[in-house]
Amino acid sequence: MTRAEQRERTRAGLVEVGRRLFATRGYAAVGLAEIVREAGVTKGALYHHFAGGKTDLFRAVLAQVQAEVGATVAARADAEDDPWAQLTSGCRAFLTASTDPAVRRIMLVDGPAVLGWSEWRAMDEAGSASHLADVLTALVETGRVAPQPVAPLARLLSGAMNEAALWLAETGDPADLDDVLAALFRMLGSLRP
């Protein structure tokens, strides 16, 4: 194994261990010593890959989770030909993915708390939020959504879905997803001219 492969393997192992621990116990309850012990590396190795320590490791874990959720949302939306179906399929995929307790903890609870709202929002926007804005733009341009500025609409819908995902995770009742989706689709329907 080359040095580059060893470095990547060490980094991937740290991210894997960090993700598991952050997902099950939350950022605040996980210590740096525990991470390095479970990853089988030294603190020096962790700082070599993540100069900011636990916070930088968490940032990498969050980026991985957001990328996975964003890819799921985009794949479900892109599987549809119709822009309206893209919007509703993407929203459904986001809310479904967000009900996973590990995703909820890392992406919606600890993400904004650990990194701060601005950085978390920028990471969120780089992922699925940009896809949401794209489909809303297509709907406005084709007249399927009443003419309006897309940027605030995308933020409102993103915020509503994030709050719905948090609520779903708190209730723990899988049947609540259907109620949330029904309410969301009624809300989206009101955007049509």
Side-chain angles (χ1 to χ4, degrees):
M1 183 179 307
T2 67
R3 285 186 188 262
E5 290 169 334
Q6 181 61 37
R7 280 192 300 271
E8 183 51 38
R9 185 176 187 184
T10 300
R11 186 183 191 288
L14 284 163
V15 170
E16 180 184 329
V17 167
R19 182 172 178 164
R20 181 174 43 79
L21 293 173
F22 296 146
T24 56
R25 300 211 331 265
Y27 178 86
V30 176
L32 196 59
E34 180 180 13
I35 294 168
V36 297
R37 182 179 63 250
E38 290 206 25
V41 300
T42 65
K43 283 185 181 179
L46 184 136
Y47 282 110
H48 174 75
H49 293 281
F50 303 100
K54 187 170 97 165
T55 301
D56 279 357
L57 174 60
F58 179 80
R59 186 176 286 110
V61 168
L62 174 60
Q64 184 182 68
V65 170
Q66 285 182 320
E68 289 170 5
V69 170
T72 298
V73 169
R76 297 267 171 81
D78 292 344
E80 304 291 342
D81 293 328
D82 175 66
W84 189 260
Q86 289 176 339
L87 175 64
T88 57
S89 292
C91 290
R92 179 184 303 276
F94 174 78
L95 287 170
T96 301
S98 297
T99 59
D100 178 320
V103 170
R104 175 194 160 271
R105 164 68 83 171
I106 291 168
M107 191 170 79
L108 299 170
V109 175
D110 285 345
V114 172
L115 301 180
W117 178 254
S118 295
E119 182 177 352
W120 177 84
R121 182 69 186 128
M123 291 176 73
D124 182 54
E125 195 163 312
S128 60
S130 62
H131 203 271
L132 178 60
D134 292 344
V135 75
L136 288 171
T137 298
L139 288 166
V140 169
E141 287 174 352
T142 60
R144 305 229 5 233
V145 166
Q148 59 191 289
V150 170
L153 178 59
R155 292 213 180 220
L156 286 167
L157 290 177
S158 179
M161 288 188 291
N162 284 340
E163 283 298 317
L166 284 168
W167 180 76
L168 285 169
E170 288 171 10
T171 68
D173 186 349
D176 288 335
L177 178 60
D178 291 335
D179 292 340
V180 165
L181 289 169
L184 176 64
F185 295 157
R186 279 192 301 277
M187 186 174 77
L188 291 175
S190 71
L191 298 171
R192 292 182 155 181

